[in-house]
Amino acid sequence: MPLDRPQVVLWRGRWIQQCLELCRVELEHPEELEATICSVAARSTASRCTDHLTEQQVLQIVAIACENPALSGRPIIHWTPREVRDEAIKRWIVSSISITQVGWFLK
């Protein structure tokens, strides 16, 4: 499975969020631990759905983040993933995109 930095960051966050649950399963139901780990990993993989975006769309989204937000009428000092997502949708670059996906492009 190819891994890149955003994928590792995402998975690490998932493991941190699920740490208590994984420890509980390990102690109380060790026979279910492998299935629980697979479930967490599957959710991490499934949520990274950038396959539907073209290279051009990704480049346009990154370009938004490089612009001065004031030029787009945004009353902010720097772009957040939410602001970039909203601007990409407003410009018809994409019809929808998650904040998480935009965050991957900005890391």
Side-chain angles (χ1 to χ4, degrees):
M1 171 184 285
L3 293 176
D4 55 10
R5 184 174 185 272
Q7 185 68 42
V8 171
V9 169
L10 175 66
W11 283 14
R12 180 176 181 270
R14 292 284 167 104
W15 297 126
I16 290 170
Q17 289 174 346
Q18 298 298 317
C19 182
L20 292 177
E21 176 65 14
L22 291 170
C23 290
R24 185 191 64 74
V25 170
E26 182 179 29
L27 290 173
E28 297 175 8
H29 306 285
E31 70 281 0
E32 296 176 10
L33 183 59
E34 185 176 343
T36 304
I37 290 171
C38 290
S39 174
V40 171
R43 286 193 308 265
S44 294
T45 303
S47 66
R48 186 169 190 252
C49 299
T50 57
D51 294 339
H52 72 279
L53 296 177
T54 66
E55 185 176 295
Q56 185 67 25
Q57 287 172 311
V58 172
L59 291 173
Q60 289 175 323
I61 292 168
V62 171
I64 290 172
C66 294
E67 295 174 1
N68 181 339
L71 298 176
S72 296
R74 303 264 177 189
I76 56 175
I77 296 171
H78 66 276
W79 291 101
T80 64
R82 180 180 306 277
E83 293 282 342
V84 172
R85 180 206 57 191
D86 293 347
E87 188 65 23
I89 292 170
K90 177 182 164 189
R91 294 184 190 186
W92 295 93
I93 296 169
V94 293
S95 59
S96 68
I97 187 170
S98 74
I99 295 170
T100 304
Q101 285 177 306
V102 172
W104 292 324
F105 306 141
L106 304 182
K107 290 186 189 253

